Amino acid sequence: MTSRERVLASLNHREPDRVPIDFGGHRSSGIAAMAYPKLRAALGLPPAEVRVYDPIQQLAVIGQDVLDALGVDTIEMGRGFALDAGDWVDWTLPDGTPCQMPRWAAPVREEGRWLLLSRTGRPLAQMPDGADFFDQIYWPFRDGPEDLDHLPEAFAESMWTGIASPPGPLAPDAATLAAGARRLRLATDRAVLGLFGGNLLECGEFLYGMEGFLELLAGEARRAHAFLDKLTELHLANLERFLGAVGDSIDIIVFGDDLGMQNGPQVSPEMYREFFKPRHARMWSRAKELANVKVMLHCCGGVEPLLDDLIDAGLDAINPVQITCRDMSLEHLRDRFAGRICFWGGGCDTREVLPRGTPSQVREHVRRQCAIYGARGGFVFQQVHNIMPNVPPENIVAMYREGSA
């Protein structure tokens, strides 16, 4: 099978020739830029320029040679953009490693910290000295006026929606976006993931603050519905433009909404059904009408109580499958949901095993995780979220080599 065929087979619950591997196919399956040079060295690959495509999480662009060496079957659509040296500016990672950042997201130094600014110059995020990534410091509807008629302007003043990864401003129109996506499609047989977003709960938290939006849901339902109605219409309009441009160049469209916590969902199933399920269903069904794509949701945390509703709303795959959360073991999820949804992740625990285990312990853990589903379909191997700077490179190699065995 080609990589694309392998991934699509598993998404369609058919048996691939081996377990498909995702590494860097989206912004929650990548590697910290500080860990990337060490991985290259552990693979016996020559040093290469480090480019940080995700400024907030400080994630590296993963080179083609690394993808080949580890048998990776996925690629993110953004890799078709920011290919020229002029798209990048020099910077230095917290550990002193020289790197490059997207020119439109170059950090600004302030005493004791780095800042990411909006296009208007407002500080949106900070990375204090000693930290490894940026944190949000401004919430438009908490720290400023709530203005539902100007949601795009509010998005531009919030960290997660205002600091773009490639293509970012390099694709200002549909024709440019379509051309870059098509160019990548023709250059690879890997499954192409298009990052869309379409967050609902999280967008409320991005704008109102987490506690502010949860209070809104719990105490002012009419006001919460008014916000979510405006937000959904904006997402649907953006979805039309996005898939109108790249729908024939991607295989999976990635939505996002971190609905879970360590011990369960942020909201009850009843609240999910009232506020979010109908709106997810609208967006996901429209995506499938617009293009021949599978719908994947990036959703951290213990969301097992919501999975029946997410599947009913039209979800095809969920990641990162946070196996250390309540009721999120792969065995339990397989027994309850096999054949109904693809579990894209859960292949290796990134909290304890990957950073603290030995290579042999990592291999044994990955072997057990992969054996739960095997290569029968319905499973794509991905570690639980991004690889952090402190992970030994030999553990990363052990993980992927065992995952693709």
Side-chain angles (χ1 to χ4, degrees), residues 145-211:
E146 178 190 64
D147 187 350
L148 300 187
D149 291 327
H150 291 88
L151 275 181
E153 291 86 349
F155 276 10
E157 299 295 314
S158 176
M159 179 186 76
W160 286 107
T161 48
I163 307 297
S165 296
L170 300 177
D173 53 63
T176 307
L177 185 62
R182 174 52 50 180
R183 185 168 54 247
L184 177 67
R185 177 78 173 192
L186 295 175
T188 184
D189 69 357
R190 292 186 167 95
V192 181
L193 284 76
L195 307 189
F196 177 69
N199 312 61
L200 296 176
L201 174 68
E202 282 191 303
C203 273
E205 293 173 344
F206 298 160
L207 299 182
Y208 292 91
M210 180 174 286
E211 69 285 358

Side-chain angles (χ1 to χ4, degrees), residues 346-368:
C348 185
D349 168 30
T350 47
R351 190 179 70 181
E352 299 293 336
V353 178
L354 191 61
R356 296 184 172 89
T358 64
S360 62
Q361 289 170 332
V362 170
R363 284 191 293 269
E364 177 58 28
H365 170 66
V366 170
R367 190 177 305 123
R368 290 197 307 269

Side-chain angles (χ1 to χ4, degrees), residues 301-304 307 321-323 325-330 332-333:
V303 292
E304 187 264 3
L307 279 174
V321 192
Q322 198 166 340
I323 55 176
C325 294
R326 178 184 292 173
D327 293 330
M328 290 295 288
S329 72
L330 274 183
H332 175 71
L333 296 175

Side-chain angles (χ1 to χ4, degrees), residues 13 272 277 281 284 288 297 304 306-318 333 336-343:
H13 302 277
Y272 175 75
K277 181 178 178 179
W284 298 345
K288 294 178 183 181
L297 179 67
E304 187 264 3
L306 305 181
L307 279 174
D308 278 317
D309 286 302
L310 289 164
I311 293 166
D312 188 53
L315 190 62
D316 297 304
I318 189 165
L333 296 175
R336 279 209 60 197
F337 302 103
R340 300 172 59 201
I341 190 169
C342 178
F343 291 103

